[in-house]
Structure formats: structure tokens, C-alpha cells
Amino acid sequence: MDDFSTNYPTIDVRLDVSDRVIDLAQGEADVGIRCGLGSWKGVKSTFLMSEEIIAVCHNRLLPVDREVTAGWIVEQTLIHDGTPHPGGDFPTWAEWLGRSGANQVPSERGLKINSTAAVIQAAVAARGVALVRRALVAQELDSGRLVHLLPDVRWPVKWAYYIVAAPKALRRYEIAAFHDWLASRPKSG
């Protein structure tokens, strides 16, 4: 945001962070970032970045005397995200562990949470190992509080991040400037 403010000092930005889907077509906001399949009624969607599911845990849960393996993960408290992800092909723990080469794939035992944000907080609080969207934990990974387990196990999902805005809003200079600035940002993840 500092970069945008430096390049466009006369444009004020107000961030409204919410899990609620804002009705951009009706002018509840000018621009949004959504994660999903990319088609929402009444808005133009511009691809921002892809997403993948990764396994993470707090660094203090890491074993000191052995390597992190799929077998080690099976022995941990598994945190399950019960948030619906329609059409995204998000893996269950059984699917992810199967791909990672675990000999024993557990049932749905562990901690079940119906909020992605709470799943991440449980992982940060060292309550167990979680499957999460990489983009949502990027800062925790960068800080070292969370550790990406078995990074060679890749699970890209169909959901991605998009900049969304009503076509009418994009005709305004300040909205088009913000949209274009956001679309030109380096992609991570």
C-alpha cells in the first residue's frame, strides 16, 4: 500500500476486510479481492494469483530427534478445516497424506474447525498440523512461526485470487489506477 500511496498521493484508500461477499455491482465497495473460481455475477474478474494447499505447523512442534515425514504428520493432531470450498478441489487429510506417501492414513480424527481463520490461529497456537491456503499464511511462514511441511508435496487447487470490480466503477480514474496497480504487483506463492 505504501507503493500505491507514493505513486498516487491524491487517491485515498480505505480497506474493509471481511469474510462477507460485498456486492460490488451495487456499489458496496469499488474493488475487491476474492478467492474462488473467478466468475461472479456483475463484476469483471482479473486473475491475481493461483493458490495451493500446504501442510503447516508451529515451529515448536517440529521433532528434534527425527525428520519430518508423512508418518510423523500422521502421529500429530490434525486440524481439519470444515469451511466449504465449493469447486476448489481442496484435499482432505486422507487425500493429502495419501499423496505424501503415508503408509497409514488416519480417519477424520483430530481438531475440526469451521473457520479458515480459526484453523490458521490453531496452527499458530501449536494446537496441531493444518492444511491451509499458502497465501493466507505467507506472513507466518516468512516470520518462521509456521513451517511448511513436506514442501515437495504440491496440491494446487482450482480456486485462485482475483481482483473484482463492477465495470462501471472501473471507468473512474482512481478505481482503474488501483486495479491496474494491484494487477501489476509481483505474484507470490
Side-chain angles (χ1 to χ4, degrees), residues 17-134:
V17 180
S18 172
D19 287 338
R20 183 174 73 86
V21 176
I22 303 296
D23 190 346
L24 296 166
Q26 294 302 314
E28 285 188 50
D30 296 314
V31 176
I33 297 176
R34 291 187 183 162
C35 187
L37 296 173
S39 59
W40 294 276
K41 187 177 179 177
V43 296
K44 175 188 177 208
S45 298
T46 304
F47 177 80
L48 189 56
M49 65 185 224
S50 59
E51 183 58 286
E52 72 175 315
I53 303 302
I54 63 172
V56 298
C57 75
H58 193 283
N59 60 25
R60 74 173 179 248
L61 292 181
L62 294 174
V64 225
D65 57 345
R66 64 190 259 208
E67 185 180 337
V68 172
T69 63
W72 176 83
I73 292 173
V74 168
E75 297 168 1
Q76 307 310 302
T77 299
L78 302 178
I79 303 171
H80 302 268
D81 187 346
T83 309
H85 300 100
D89 289 342
F90 283 60
T92 64
W93 266 113
E95 292 167 332
W96 191 91
L97 286 164
R99 182 176 287 181
S100 70
N103 293 330
Q104 168 194 358
V105 177
S107 64
E108 294 298 311
R109 68 167 177 76
L111 179 59
K112 295 169 182 64
I113 303 175
N114 68 345
S115 161
T116 298
V119 166
I120 293 167
Q121 287 307 310
V124 169
R127 302 292 301 151
V129 179
L131 290 176
V132 296
R133 289 185 271 162
R134 176 192 286 274

